[in-house]
Amino acid sequence: MSLIAGIPALRSLGTAPSVSSDMPAGTVGPTTPTSGAPLTTDGCRTGPSGSATDPGTEDAGTATEVAQRIASYAEEHFADVYADSALQDSGPRVQVYRKSSPAFDSWIRAAFSHDCVEVRDAPYSAKELEDWSTRVSDDSAYWSRQGVRLNSVGTDPVNGVVRVGTNDVKKVRELLIDRYGKEAPLVAVEGGGLTW
């Protein structure tokens, strides 16, 4: 999967190796989207001429353009629910993540009825995760007092978390819980950086 819009905001706080996208043991709060069935547009079932289509046959250029159009409009008009758009290698080429929203879903169905777009649940909007990311990053005096160095802080809208890169996952996980509570969508990861 490659993210298109809202490429994860990564606040680099030093040089650190990348980590895998698996949720590590340093997870604090919720890390997976809600389990509602994905919504697909009519374009996933029929092509422009009305013929059946394979959802994975859209070329990458078309899929990228669709994802960018979605992101551009959604960031302006649906910032409270929009999480991100991603391209897939198989199945529906464009996946969109959002908090449950009948208005958003209606817009996607109408505006992209001839394109193959799959809409999936996300526990947080990109804006909400960015707010958490900023909160952790701006708390540098706290981290200094704890003797902790954060290598990076960045959003992962698909998994609905903010990843906090560190060399001491266990200590940072405990501090994240103490500072922000058990329900905060934060995860301590070894090293730093984001990969998908």
Side-chain angles (χ1 to χ4, degrees):
M1 165 183 22
S2 62
L3 294 179
I4 297 299
I7 293 172
L10 178 61
R11 287 177 167 70
S12 182
L13 304 174
T15 305
S18 296
V19 296
S20 76
S21 62
D22 296 330
M23 288 291 104
T27 299
V28 176
T31 61
T32 55
T34 56
S35 60
L39 161 109
T40 55
T41 58
D42 288 341
C44 293
R45 292 178 282 285
T46 60
S49 64
S51 60
T53 186
D54 175 356
T57 60
E58 279 187 286
D59 66 75
T62 301
T64 298
E65 188 252 325
V66 167
Q68 288 172 339
R69 283 178 29 224
I70 290 170
S72 177
Y73 188 88
E75 287 168 355
E76 184 175 342
H77 299 280
F78 291 101
D80 57 331
V81 298
Y82 177 70
D84 212 345
S85 299
L87 295 183
Q88 301 298 310
D89 294 329
S90 61
R93 290 299 300 265
V94 179
Q95 284 187 345
V96 177
Y97 295 83
R98 55 81 181 109
K99 291 171 65 174
S100 182
S101 168
F104 182 90
D105 294 352
S106 294
W107 167 68
I108 287 284
R109 282 188 178 117
F112 298 93
S113 62
H114 296 294
D115 301 295
C116 183
V117 177
E118 182 176 78
V119 180
R120 294 182 162 268
D121 288 341
Y124 298 96
S125 70
K127 182 182 180 322
E128 289 170 320
L129 290 178
E130 187 57 35
D131 289 346
W132 275 106
S133 180
T134 299
R135 185 173 170 189
V136 172
S137 295
D138 288 350
D139 224 352
S140 58
Y142 170 77
W143 297 112
S144 293
R145 285 193 308 273
Q146 304 306 316
V148 169
R149 174 185 159 92
L150 301 184
N151 298 324
S152 63
V153 179
T155 64
D156 177 354
V158 171
N159 289 300
V161 295
V162 171
R163 292 169 179 259
V164 180
T166 181
N167 294 329
D168 191 345
V169 171
K170 183 178 178 190
K171 181 175 182 179
V172 169
R173 180 181 189 276
E174 291 169 2
L175 291 171
L176 288 170
I177 292 170
D178 288 346
R179 184 73 169 171
Y180 308 107
K182 289 183 179 182
E183 294 304 310
L186 306 170
V187 59
V189 295
E190 184 68 35
L194 301 178
T195 61
W196 275 267

